[in-house]
Amino acid sequence: SQQGEEDPQALSIQEGENATMNCSYKTSINNLQWYRQNSGRGLVHLILIRSNEREKHSGRLRVTLDTSKKSSSLLITASRAADTASYFCATRSFGNEKLTFGTGTRLTIIP
Amino acid sequence: DTGVSQNPRHKITKRGQNVTFRCDPISEHNRLYWYRQTLGQGPEFLTYFQNEAQLEKSRLLSDRFSAERPKGSFSTLEIQRTEQGDSAMYLCASSDLRKSSYNEQFFGPGTRLTVL
């Protein structure tokens, strides 16, 4: 079963704009990760944020985590055509090694 | 480091046939995971191995499914008596428990199964 949901399900923006996608989850977590999936390719790990962290940056990516609301957001700044992909959040609970993925956001960057 | 590889990339089979998929993880990664992804959904966990030991199986893994990792390197996932509902992308991932980045799972390109 899916742990949570991503919002929006689909997002189209102009190249150069910022893209924000949100993830909600249901149970307590050890960490939350974001993955990208391009058409025809496997999932690629983007960034991980631990349950005791509130914000993390990596290049053009910024992730926030609000454990009280059981939600996270991923911000991609200065979007590029190559950012076109599906983005998934995935959570790992304490004492559990599996990742539980959300339903994904389909991001399209318009050149 | 050649990444996680999966074979075959595509498999078309008739209902009732058995199929077997193979996953080769990143060399010396001690954890190996199988997930299933259907169209428009995120991956769903099936099972994982630490070395050759299968440590967890999802309830999604019915008795028609079996996974092995006999020597703690490559793994196989077999589906017996396939059903149309088994049509999906089967993803394999690996990670290294000994590294600080062990939470990061490296995914293969997947095997797309179509059951006619």
Side-chain angles (χ1 to χ4, degrees), chain B residues 8-22:
Chain B
R9 294 291 305 276
H10 303 273
K11 179 69 178 179
I12 299 173
T13 190
K14 293 182 179 179
R15 188 178 55 184
Q17 297 294 306
N18 299 343
V19 294
T20 300
F21 310 140
R22 175 176 171 129

Side-chain angles (χ1 to χ4, degrees), chain A residues 36-55:
Chain A
R36 180 184 68 215
Q37 186 175 40
N38 296 97
S39 177
R41 296 185 60 183
L43 286 144
V44 175
H45 181 269
L46 296 176
I47 193 167
L48 177 151
I49 187 165
R50 300 186 187 282
S51 59
N52 60 354
E53 297 176 315
R54 292 295 167 261
E55 187 171 314

Side-chain angles (χ1 to χ4, degrees), chain A residues 31 33 35 37 92 97, chain B residues 31 35 37 42 48 103 105:
Chain A
N31 66 69
Q33 304 175 38
Y35 284 78
Q37 186 175 40
R92 179 172 164 248
E97 300 304 324
Chain B
R31 284 207 171 147
Y35 293 84
Q37 184 177 25
Y48 91 94
N103 279 291
Q105 295 184 17

Side-chain angles (χ1 to χ4, degrees), chain A residues 92-111:
Chain A
R92 179 172 164 248
S93 302
F94 288 99
N96 199 322
E97 300 304 324
K98 69 181 183 184
L99 289 176
T100 304
F101 285 81
T103 51
T105 292
R106 175 70 192 168
L107 175 65
T108 301
I109 307 301
I110 303 166

Side-chain angles (χ1 to χ4, degrees), chain A:
Chain A
S1 62
Q2 308 286 178
Q3 159 72 296
E5 296 181 355
E6 270 123 304
D7 170 51
Q9 290 187 331
L11 177 63
S12 292
I13 60 173
Q14 295 287 334
E15 191 169 18
E17 293 181 341
N18 297 341
T20 299
M21 52 204 88
N22 304 295
C23 164
S24 61
Y25 57 91
K26 298 174 185 174
T27 61
S28 296
I29 61 170
N30 175 299
N31 66 69
L32 184 144
Q33 304 175 38
W34 286 89
Y35 284 78
R36 180 184 68 215
Q37 186 175 40
N38 296 97
S39 177
R41 296 185 60 183
L43 286 144
V44 175
H45 181 269
L46 296 176
I47 193 167
L48 177 151
I49 187 165
R50 300 186 187 282
S51 59
N52 60 354
E53 297 176 315
R54 292 295 167 261
E55 187 171 314
K56 203 156 182 188
H57 297 256
S58 176
R60 294 184 296 115
L61 305 179
R62 172 178 170 254
V63 172
T64 62
L65 179 65
D66 186 336
T67 53
S68 67
K69 295 181 179 177
K70 292 186 169 59
S71 67
S72 173
S73 67
L74 172 68
L75 168 68
I76 304 173
T77 60
S79 62
R80 305 168 182 169
D83 295 329
T84 293
S86 291
Y87 291 81
F88 296 91
C89 68
T91 55
R92 179 172 164 248
S93 302
F94 288 99
N96 199 322
E97 300 304 324
K98 69 181 183 184
L99 289 176
T100 304
F101 285 81
T103 51
T105 292
R106 175 70 192 168
L107 175 65
T108 301
I109 307 301
I110 303 166

Side-chain angles (χ1 to χ4, degrees), chain B residues 60-102:
Chain B
L60 291 174
L61 216 64
S62 74
D63 55 6
R64 296 185 298 107
F65 288 70
S66 63
E68 294 183 340
R69 195 183 184 198
K71 297 181 180 179
S73 56
F74 73 91
S75 175
T76 57
L77 177 67
E78 180 183 17
I79 309 174
Q80 295 182 327
R81 306 181 302 280
T82 52
E83 301 172 356
Q84 288 185 326
D86 297 331
S87 295
M89 178 76 85
Y90 289 83
L91 297 168
C92 176
S94 69
S95 67
D96 190 343
L97 186 61
R98 297 161 296 185
K99 293 187 176 177
S100 60
S101 60
Y102 72 92

